[in-house]
Amino acid sequence: MTTRVESEPDVEQLLDVFKALANPVRLQVLGWLREPAKHFPVERAIADPDEVGVCVSHIQEKLGLAQSTVSAYMAVLQRAGLVRATRVGKWTHYKRDEARIAEVVATLGRSL
């Protein structure tokens, strides 16, 4: 029987994901972004949260943390490939990258 050894890029990508998800606040935000209309004020959104994502100011308001802290958390999730950022005017919106998340789950399944 032949076993497949994960390539270095696969391992590095998984480590980035694990590091991003090791913080309970980032994990919670990623969970909220799964169903944005359920967790964020859709009536105050300037863009469709299902299509474009949730404004960082709404994430910050819900968390009750400083804007710089929330932006840093979102940047970690973005670098790990778990969310995508889209600018709408002067606002940054974040949306889960479902294809990338599915890829991570598949890689994890092959690795363990």
Side-chain angles (χ1 to χ4, degrees):
M1 177 166 91
T2 307
T3 58
R4 180 175 179 258
V5 176
E6 292 299 314
S7 67
E8 285 299 316
D10 286 346
V11 171
E12 289 300 316
Q13 289 174 354
L14 280 177
L15 289 175
D16 287 343
V17 169
F18 292 151
K19 289 174 189 174
L21 298 179
N23 178 292
V25 174
R26 290 192 295 257
L27 184 59
Q28 182 176 44
V29 170
L30 193 62
W32 288 340
L33 291 177
R34 186 175 199 161
E35 297 178 280
K38 181 177 175 181
H39 298 284
F40 297 98
V42 177
E43 65 279 357
R44 292 182 26 225
I46 60 171
D48 182 347
D50 290 319
E51 292 296 317
V52 179
V54 175
C55 182
V56 71
S57 66
H58 292 150
I59 298 169
Q60 184 238 335
E61 184 178 302
K62 186 169 180 82
L63 288 171
L65 298 173
Q67 188 273 332
S68 59
T69 301
V70 175
S71 291
Y73 283 167
M74 298 311 295
V76 170
L77 290 172
Q78 186 177 7
R79 279 193 302 276
L82 300 171
V83 299
R84 290 184 183 174
T86 303
R87 296 285 294 184
V88 178
K90 64 180 183 172
W91 308 107
T92 301
H93 289 66
Y94 290 95
K95 178 180 173 148
R96 287 168 51 112
D97 186 337
E98 296 297 345
R100 171 71 177 125
I101 291 170
E103 181 184 303
V104 167
V105 170
T107 301
L108 186 58
R110 289 189 309 270
S111 300
L112 294 181

